[in-house]
Amino acid sequence: MPDRQVLSFHESLLRESDIDLLRGPHWLNDQIISFYFEYLEKVIYKDIEEFLFVSPEVTQCLKIVSRNEASIFLSPLKATQRDLIFFALNDNENTSAGGSHWSLLVLSRPENTFFHFDSSSGSNLSSSRVFFSRLREPLGCPDADLQQHKCLQQSNGYDCGIHLICVTDQVAEYARRTDRVSGTPSISYQQVSRKRREILEIILELGGAI
């Protein structure tokens, strides 16, 4: 059967198979996280140019290209002019979609620090270090530090993408109020448990055929 299109939102396209991932206890894919990042950029933080939400697809490209080539992807995003940059980091080391774990890496330019939030502590530690080392110079912060920020740990093997989305919400709102990422309060299990439903409601509000 054809995979029915559910919603076209700017650069994001969601299909029935994506919605099925939200309805059940499943690992989230690139499409859902890309959609949510774009929703934050185009709706929630549309008036805050200092924030940049980088899609998983672009993040994956940045992981595998050279430092010199990274500027090709970062320049159109005006990344060197942004104060806060969110990366959806995956442990996949290939060019194709895949992987088994999501975590969030945030550059806070005012703090000259990359903050890594991993809901399965240590799982993406190596990926965060490699990505951080690769991106410091292209992002114009060669002396930046990397910190593993404390965050809520997932209670199952499939909610890392939901944790990433919830932490992104938390960090963005905290940074909007305080101009920093350090000290962002941990999310709660209640936030995690209701987030799938909230995303489905957002898709409906945007005209999604679900």
Side-chain angles (χ1 to χ4, degrees), residues 6-7 14-16 18-24 32 35-36 162 194-210:
V6 169
L7 176 69
L14 294 178
R15 297 188 178 276
E16 187 67 40
D18 303 316
I19 303 305
D20 289 341
L21 297 179
L22 286 168
R23 287 178 171 144
I32 294 171
F35 159 74
Y36 196 80
I162 291 294
R194 64 174 180 254
K195 196 61 185 182
R196 291 176 184 267
R197 183 180 68 253
E198 290 177 355
I199 298 173
L200 288 170
E201 290 171 355
I202 290 169
I203 293 169
L204 276 172
E205 290 172 2
L206 294 173
I210 61 175

Short mmCIF file of all heavy atoms in Angstrom, two decimals, residues 6-7 14-16 18-24 32 35-36 162 194-210:
data_model
loop_
_atom_site.label_atom_id
_atom_site.label_comp_id
_atom_site.label_asym_id
_atom_site.label_seq_id
_atom_site.Cartn_x
_atom_site.Cartn_y
_atom_site.Cartn_z
N VAL A 6 0.80 12.89 4.87
CA VAL A 6 -0.04 13.41 5.95
C VAL A 6 0.08 14.93 6.08
O VAL A 6 -0.91 15.63 6.27
CB VAL A 6 0.34 12.74 7.29
CG1 VAL A 6 -0.33 13.44 8.46
CG2 VAL A 6 -0.05 11.27 7.26
N LEU A 7 1.31 15.45 5.97
CA LEU A 7 1.52 16.89 6.15
C LEU A 7 2.76 17.35 5.41
O LEU A 7 3.81 16.72 5.50
CB LEU A 7 1.67 17.22 7.64
CG LEU A 7 1.99 18.68 7.98
CD1 LEU A 7 0.78 19.58 7.67
CD2 LEU A 7 2.39 18.82 9.45
N LEU A 14 5.70 14.72 6.13
CA LEU A 14 5.38 13.59 7.00
C LEU A 14 4.40 12.66 6.30
O LEU A 14 3.46 13.11 5.66
CB LEU A 14 4.77 14.08 8.32
CG LEU A 14 5.67 14.90 9.24
CD1 LEU A 14 4.90 15.34 10.47
CD2 LEU A 14 6.91 14.10 9.64
N ARG A 15 4.64 11.36 6.47
CA ARG A 15 3.78 10.34 5.89
C ARG A 15 3.15 9.49 6.99
O ARG A 15 3.49 9.61 8.17
CB ARG A 15 4.57 9.48 4.90
CG ARG A 15 5.10 10.27 3.70
CD ARG A 15 5.71 9.38 2.64
NE ARG A 15 6.16 10.15 1.48
CZ ARG A 15 5.36 10.51 0.48
NH1 ARG A 15 4.07 10.17 0.51
NH2 ARG A 15 5.82 11.20 -0.54
N GLU A 16 2.23 8.64 6.58
CA GLU A 16 1.51 7.80 7.54
C GLU A 16 2.48 6.95 8.37
O GLU A 16 2.26 6.76 9.57
CB GLU A 16 0.53 6.89 6.80
CG GLU A 16 -0.38 6.09 7.72
CD GLU A 16 -1.36 6.97 8.48
OE1 GLU A 16 -1.89 7.93 7.90
OE2 GLU A 16 -1.58 6.68 9.68
N ASP A 18 5.38 7.74 9.39
CA ASP A 18 5.96 8.59 10.43
C ASP A 18 5.00 8.75 11.59
O ASP A 18 5.39 8.70 12.76
CB ASP A 18 6.33 9.96 9.85
CG ASP A 18 7.28 9.88 8.67
OD1 ASP A 18 8.25 9.09 8.75
OD2 ASP A 18 7.06 10.59 7.67
N ILE A 19 3.73 8.95 11.26
CA ILE A 19 2.70 9.11 12.29
C ILE A 19 2.59 7.85 13.13
O ILE A 19 2.40 7.90 14.36
CB ILE A 19 1.34 9.46 11.66
CG1 ILE A 19 1.47 10.73 10.80
CG2 ILE A 19 0.27 9.64 12.72
CD1 ILE A 19 2.01 11.93 11.53
N ASP A 20 2.72 6.70 12.51
CA ASP A 20 2.67 5.43 13.23
C ASP A 20 3.75 5.35 14.30
O ASP A 20 3.54 4.76 15.37
CB ASP A 20 2.80 4.25 12.27
CG ASP A 20 1.57 4.06 11.39
OD1 ASP A 20 0.50 4.59 11.76
OD2 ASP A 20 1.68 3.40 10.34
N LEU A 21 4.90 5.93 14.03
CA LEU A 21 5.98 5.94 15.02
C LEU A 21 5.61 6.74 16.25
O LEU A 21 6.03 6.42 17.37
CB LEU A 21 7.27 6.50 14.40
CG LEU A 21 7.88 5.72 13.24
CD1 LEU A 21 9.13 6.43 12.73
CD2 LEU A 21 8.21 4.28 13.65
N LEU A 22 4.84 7.80 16.05
CA LEU A 22 4.40 8.64 17.17
C LEU A 22 3.28 7.97 17.98
O LEU A 22 3.16 8.19 19.18
CB LEU A 22 3.90 10.00 16.66
CG LEU A 22 4.97 10.99 16.20
CD1 LEU A 22 4.34 12.14 15.45
CD2 LEU A 22 5.78 11.49 17.40
N ARG A 23 2.50 7.14 17.33
CA ARG A 23 1.35 6.53 18.00
C ARG A 23 1.73 5.35 18.89
O ARG A 23 0.99 4.98 19.80
CB ARG A 23 0.33 6.07 16.95
CG ARG A 23 -0.43 7.21 16.31
CD ARG A 23 -1.38 6.71 15.26
NE ARG A 23 -2.27 7.76 14.77
CZ ARG A 23 -2.69 7.87 13.52
NH1 ARG A 23 -2.28 6.98 12.62
NH2 ARG A 23 -3.49 8.84 13.17
N GLY A 24 2.87 4.76 18.59
CA GLY A 24 3.26 3.58 19.35
C GLY A 24 4.57 3.77 20.07
O GLY A 24 5.23 4.79 19.92
N ILE A 32 10.52 12.97 11.70
CA ILE A 32 9.76 13.56 12.80
C ILE A 32 10.58 14.63 13.51
O ILE A 32 10.08 15.72 13.82
CB ILE A 32 9.31 12.47 13.78
CG1 ILE A 32 8.30 11.53 13.11
CG2 ILE A 32 8.67 13.09 15.03
CD1 ILE A 32 7.97 10.30 13.92
N PHE A 35 10.85 17.67 11.35
CA PHE A 35 9.61 18.42 11.39
C PHE A 35 9.53 19.24 12.67
O PHE A 35 9.18 20.43 12.62
CB PHE A 35 8.40 17.48 11.31
CG PHE A 35 7.13 18.09 11.85
CD1 PHE A 35 6.46 19.07 11.12
CD2 PHE A 35 6.63 17.73 13.10
CE1 PHE A 35 5.30 19.67 11.63
CE2 PHE A 35 5.48 18.32 13.61
CZ PHE A 35 4.83 19.29 12.87
N TYR A 36 9.84 18.65 13.81
CA TYR A 36 9.68 19.38 15.07
C TYR A 36 10.68 20.53 15.16
O TYR A 36 10.32 21.62 15.62
CB TYR A 36 9.87 18.43 16.26
CG TYR A 36 9.35 19.06 17.54
CD1 TYR A 36 7.98 19.06 17.81
CD2 TYR A 36 10.21 19.68 18.44
CE1 TYR A 36 7.49 19.66 18.96
CE2 TYR A 36 9.72 20.28 19.59
CZ TYR A 36 8.37 20.27 19.84
OH TYR A 36 7.87 20.86 20.98
N ILE A 162 12.22 11.26 21.77
CA ILE A 162 11.28 12.07 22.54
C ILE A 162 12.04 12.87 23.60
O ILE A 162 11.75 14.06 23.82
CB ILE A 162 10.21 11.18 23.20
CG1 ILE A 162 9.30 10.59 22.13
CG2 ILE A 162 9.40 11.97 24.22
CD1 ILE A 162 8.44 11.61 21.40
N ARG A 194 3.83 12.61 27.70
CA ARG A 194 2.76 13.29 26.95
C ARG A 194 3.22 13.90 25.63
O ARG A 194 2.41 14.42 24.86
CB ARG A 194 2.12 14.37 27.83
CG ARG A 194 3.04 15.52 28.22
CD ARG A 194 2.26 16.61 28.97
NE ARG A 194 3.11 17.71 29.36
CZ ARG A 194 3.54 17.95 30.61
NH1 ARG A 194 3.21 17.12 31.59
NH2 ARG A 194 4.31 18.99 30.87
N LYS A 195 4.53 13.84 25.35
CA LYS A 195 5.04 14.57 24.19
C LYS A 195 4.58 13.98 22.87
O LYS A 195 4.33 14.73 21.91
CB LYS A 195 6.57 14.61 24.23
CG LYS A 195 7.17 15.67 23.29
CD LYS A 195 6.68 17.06 23.71
CE LYS A 195 7.13 18.13 22.75
NZ LYS A 195 6.68 19.47 23.18
N ARG A 196 4.45 12.66 22.76
CA ARG A 196 3.99 12.07 21.51
C ARG A 196 2.60 12.60 21.16
O ARG A 196 2.33 12.97 20.01
CB ARG A 196 3.97 10.55 21.59
CG ARG A 196 5.35 9.91 21.66
CD ARG A 196 5.28 8.41 21.84
NE ARG A 196 6.61 7.82 22.00
CZ ARG A 196 7.34 7.32 21.02
NH1 ARG A 196 6.86 7.31 19.79
NH2 ARG A 196 8.54 6.81 21.25
N ARG A 197 1.73 12.64 22.14
CA ARG A 197 0.37 13.14 21.91
C ARG A 197 0.41 14.62 21.52
O ARG A 197 -0.34 15.06 20.63
CB ARG A 197 -0.47 12.95 23.17
CG ARG A 197 -1.93 13.39 23.00
CD ARG A 197 -2.74 13.19 24.27
NE ARG A 197 -2.32 14.09 25.35
CZ ARG A 197 -1.63 13.73 26.41
NH1 ARG A 197 -1.25 12.46 26.55
NH2 ARG A 197 -1.29 14.60 27.33
N GLU A 198 1.27 15.39 22.17
CA GLU A 198 1.37 16.82 21.86
C GLU A 198 1.84 17.03 20.41
O GLU A 198 1.35 17.95 19.74
CB GLU A 198 2.33 17.49 22.84
CG GLU A 198 1.77 17.59 24.25
CD GLU A 198 2.78 18.20 25.22
OE1 GLU A 198 3.94 18.45 24.80
OE2 GLU A 198 2.41 18.41 26.38
N ILE A 199 2.79 16.23 19.96
CA ILE A 199 3.27 16.37 18.58
C ILE A 199 2.15 16.03 17.59
O ILE A 199 1.98 16.72 16.58
CB ILE A 199 4.50 15.50 18.34
CG1 ILE A 199 5.66 15.93 19.25
CG2 ILE A 199 4.94 15.57 16.87
CD1 ILE A 199 6.87 15.01 19.21
N LEU A 200 1.39 14.99 17.89
CA LEU A 200 0.25 14.64 17.03
C LEU A 200 -0.76 15.78 16.98
O LEU A 200 -1.32 16.08 15.92
CB LEU A 200 -0.42 13.37 17.54
CG LEU A 200 0.36 12.06 17.32
CD1 LEU A 200 -0.28 10.92 18.09
CD2 LEU A 200 0.45 11.72 15.83
N GLU A 201 -0.99 16.44 18.10
CA GLU A 201 -1.92 17.58 18.14
C GLU A 201 -1.39 18.75 17.32
O GLU A 201 -2.15 19.44 16.64
CB GLU A 201 -2.15 18.00 19.59
CG GLU A 201 -2.96 16.99 20.39
CD GLU A 201 -3.01 17.31 21.88
OE1 GLU A 201 -2.33 18.27 22.30
OE2 GLU A 201 -3.73 16.60 22.61
N ILE A 202 -0.08 18.98 17.36
CA ILE A 202 0.54 20.03 16.55
C ILE A 202 0.33 19.73 15.06
O ILE A 202 -0.02 20.62 14.27
CB ILE A 202 2.04 20.16 16.87
CG1 ILE A 202 2.23 20.76 18.27
CG2 ILE A 202 2.74 21.02 15.81
CD1 ILE A 202 3.65 20.66 18.77
N ILE A 203 0.54 18.47 14.67
CA ILE A 203 0.36 18.09 13.28
C ILE A 203 -1.07 18.32 12.84
O ILE A 203 -1.33 18.82 11.73
CB ILE A 203 0.77 16.61 13.08
CG1 ILE A 203 2.29 16.45 13.31
CG2 ILE A 203 0.39 16.11 11.69
CD1 ILE A 203 2.76 15.02 13.39
N LEU A 204 -2.02 18.01 13.69
CA LEU A 204 -3.44 18.27 13.39
C LEU A 204 -3.70 19.76 13.23
O LEU A 204 -4.39 20.19 12.30
CB LEU A 204 -4.33 17.70 14.49
CG LEU A 204 -4.70 16.22 14.40
CD1 LEU A 204 -5.42 15.79 15.67
CD2 LEU A 204 -5.57 15.97 13.18
N GLU A 205 -3.16 20.56 14.14
CA GLU A 205 -3.36 22.02 14.10
C GLU A 205 -2.79 22.63 12.82
O GLU A 205 -3.33 23.64 12.32
CB GLU A 205 -2.71 22.67 15.32
CG GLU A 205 -3.42 22.37 16.64
CD GLU A 205 -2.63 22.86 17.83
OE1 GLU A 205 -1.54 23.47 17.61
OE2 GLU A 205 -3.06 22.62 18.96
N LEU A 206 -1.76 22.01 12.28
CA LEU A 206 -1.13 22.52 11.05
C LEU A 206 -1.80 21.97 9.80
O LEU A 206 -1.34 22.23 8.69
CB LEU A 206 0.35 22.15 11.04
CG LEU A 206 1.22 22.83 12.11
CD1 LEU A 206 2.63 22.26 12.10
CD2 LEU A 206 1.26 24.33 11.92
N GLY A 207 -2.88 21.22 9.99
CA GLY A 207 -3.64 20.71 8.85
C GLY A 207 -3.31 19.31 8.44
O GLY A 207 -3.71 18.86 7.35
N GLY A 208 -2.61 18.58 9.29
CA GLY A 208 -2.25 17.20 8.98
C GLY A 208 -3.46 16.31 8.88
O GLY A 208 -4.40 16.40 9.69
N ALA A 209 -3.44 15.43 7.91
CA ALA A 209 -4.58 14.53 7.66
C ALA A 209 -4.38 13.23 8.44
O ALA A 209 -4.06 12.18 7.88
CB ALA A 209 -4.72 14.25 6.17
N ILE A 210 -4.58 13.32 9.77
CA ILE A 210 -4.43 12.13 10.61
C ILE A 210 -5.71 11.88 11.40
O ILE A 210 -6.58 12.71 11.47
CB ILE A 210 -3.22 12.24 11.57
CG1 ILE A 210 -3.40 13.44 12.53
CG2 ILE A 210 -1.94 12.40 10.79
CD1 ILE A 210 -2.28 13.50 13.56
#
